[in-house]
Amino acid sequence: MNPRELLRRLFDAGVAAADPARCVPAALAELDPPGPGGRLVVVGAGKAAAAMAQAVEAAWPGPLSGLVVTRYGHGAPCARIEVVEAAHPVPDAAGAAAAARILGLVSGLTANDRVLALISGGGSALLAAPAPGVTLEQKQAIGAALLNSGATIADINCVRKHLSAIKGGRLALAAWPAPVLTLAISDVPGDDPAVIASGPTVADPTTAVDALKVLDFHAIDLPAELRRRLASGELETPKPGELAAGAFRLVASPRQMLEAAAAEARRLGVTLLILGDAIEGEAREVGRVLAGIALSCGRHGFPAQKPCVLLSGGEATVTVRGAGRGGRNTEFLLGAALALAGEPGIHALAADTDGIDGAGDNAGAFVGPDSLARARAAGLDAAASLAANDAGSFFAGLGDLLVTGPTRTNVNDFRAFLIE
């Protein structure tokens, strides 16, 4: 098995562990059947939402109905749960309409009804129901600016919650008194239920003033009226103690993904070290740091003796200053490649487990000892590509992109260094 085949095997094993068909059915044992005359209403949002709905339909023996919204191209056929596709990461009218319909489906329920919420990464952009007095255009502009600013996903979702009619616990508030069971697939560092898809069924510990601080820190333009409403608390979300407690179950996470990849590595006889499941930071800098650890293994046998694989997960950020094509995983890899400088025997793969890195059609890319030399021969300038946020074009020019198509799950980024 060559290095790329080995790294791809590990990636595939991690993604398979987060397949909704594998991780959702067992959690349905916690779902109480509806009471007399009651209904089971299934709602959800995220890149895994359609596959989660499909898994529910296959496993739940009783009647159900509902609607989930997922990213364009991430749908899956369902018989009883409607699947709507919408834009991500910048929301569109289709997502706003779907979110409004979901609110309508859970409104007016009784204590004998049950709500099953299927939540996964990407749900924040897909549940695009603006708060009263906030326009979709305002949410689009603010969201796009935050995505390009280098803000963490926790900070971005703090803002999203306070401009929303459905996130930050408001979905659960609309469903009361019907009990809500949330099944979630985490794509956020730390697996905080209030951050995953901006916590539509979870009380929000952040405040409108926190959201305003995030916007000001990143110098995001804000209409004066929105600034006033955030500062006054008019757009505040339900807080802990103000929302009926629902059941929340994490069915897949970055840690589980990495453990599955590690198990496959061990099965293949490869020494394995997991560096962490929640590594954050500017993508190119994280790439340089992890490349430094790989170099230490190769040259000094520390913190692991070669041959070995270093695994990590998390969500890096990209501060966009150029107009290139790319995503956080290709930018991570280009930073790593420059730090490795063609070091013999070190290969790397970084990819988003949802199959889409940034706005392209690739999941990520590969790096090998010959990447920079091949780039020079092809007339590609690695440093200039990185400066222009054009890592996607760089790896496309080498034929080194990893293209998987939508995986219909999402447990954040997968990063692996193989030190031969």
Side-chain angles (χ1 to χ4, degrees), residues 20 81 108 116-117 129 291 297 359 375 387 419:
I81 302 168
L116 177 63
C297 292
I419 301 93

Side-chain angles (χ1 to χ4, degrees), residues 214-260:
V214 169
L215 291 163
D216 287 343
F217 180 82
H218 292 284
I220 307 299
D221 288 336
L222 194 64
E225 178 61 11
L226 276 187
R227 176 174 293 279
R228 182 196 66 78
R229 296 179 70 195
L230 286 170
S232 69
E234 185 180 333
L235 294 173
E236 200 52 85
T237 48
K239 298 293 173 252
E242 300 175 357
L243 193 64
F248 185 97
R249 296 294 176 265
L250 193 64
V251 298
S253 70
R255 177 184 62 81
Q256 292 166 343
M257 175 268 292
L258 292 175
E259 288 176 346

Side-chain angles (χ1 to χ4, degrees), residues 40-364:
L40 173 58
V41 179
V42 181
V43 295
K47 297 171 187 174
M52 294 175 80
Q54 194 176 56
V56 169
E57 285 195 347
W60 183 253
L64 55 80
S65 62
L67 183 153
V68 299
V69 57
T70 191
R71 180 177 176 159
Y72 291 120
H74 291 242
C78 292
R80 292 170 286 167
I81 302 168
E82 183 180 354
V83 176
V84 173
E85 296 185 359
H88 178 280
V90 178
D92 66 0
R101 289 181 60 198
I102 286 172
L103 282 173
L105 286 175
V106 303
S107 298
L109 297 180
T110 71
N112 285 336
D113 296 311
R114 302 290 182 266
V115 174
L116 177 63
L118 307 176
I119 302 300
S120 63
S124 287
L126 295 163
L127 285 176
V134 179
T135 69
L136 177 60
E137 292 73 20
Q138 288 172 331
K139 284 178 66 70
Q140 289 170 326
I142 293 167
L146 280 169
L147 288 168
N148 289 336
S149 72
T152 66
I153 189 60
D155 282 351
I156 292 172
N157 285 358
C158 171
V159 174
R160 284 169 162 168
K161 285 185 276 193
H162 289 92
L163 301 180
S164 174
I166 193 170
K167 296 188 276 284
R170 292 189 176 99
L171 176 60
L173 193 64
W176 189 86
V180 178
L181 169 63
T182 301
L183 303 184
I185 293 179
S186 172
D187 73 326
V188 302
D191 305 328
D192 185 346
V195 178
I196 302 168
S198 294
T201 61
V202 179
D204 179 24
T206 71
T207 67
V209 172
D210 292 332
L212 194 56
K213 289 178 180 177
V214 169
L215 291 163
D216 287 343
F217 180 82
H218 292 284
I220 307 299
D221 288 336
L222 194 64
E225 178 61 11
L226 276 187
R227 176 174 293 279
R228 182 196 66 78
R229 296 179 70 195
L230 286 170
S232 69
E234 185 180 333
L235 294 173
E236 200 52 85
T237 48
K239 298 293 173 252
E242 300 175 357
L243 193 64
F248 185 97
R249 296 294 176 265
L250 193 64
V251 298
S253 70
R255 177 184 62 81
Q256 292 166 343
M257 175 268 292
L258 292 175
E259 288 176 346
E264 178 67 7
R266 295 186 185 103
R267 193 185 71 79
L268 295 172
V270 180
T271 300
L272 193 286
L273 179 63
I274 297 178
L275 300 176
D277 67 345
I279 296 174
E280 298 181 88
E282 189 72 21
R284 64 183 68 188
E285 301 303 330
V286 176
R288 290 187 178 112
V289 169
L290 297 194
I293 299 174
L295 286 168
S296 178
C297 292
R299 295 171 179 175
H300 310 300
F302 181 80
Q305 292 280 346
K306 62 181 178 180
C308 62
V309 170
L310 307 178
L311 287 182
S312 67
E315 182 165 328
T317 54
V318 174
T319 302
V320 178
R321 298 183 178 91
R325 164 198 173 192
R328 59 182 183 258
N329 286 287
T330 50
E331 183 136 334
F332 165 90
L333 281 171
L334 193 46
L338 287 165
L340 291 170
E343 182 79 5
I346 299 182
H347 305 259
L349 163 65
D352 196 322
T353 54
D354 66 11
I356 304 295
D357 186 36
D361 61 359
N362 60 290

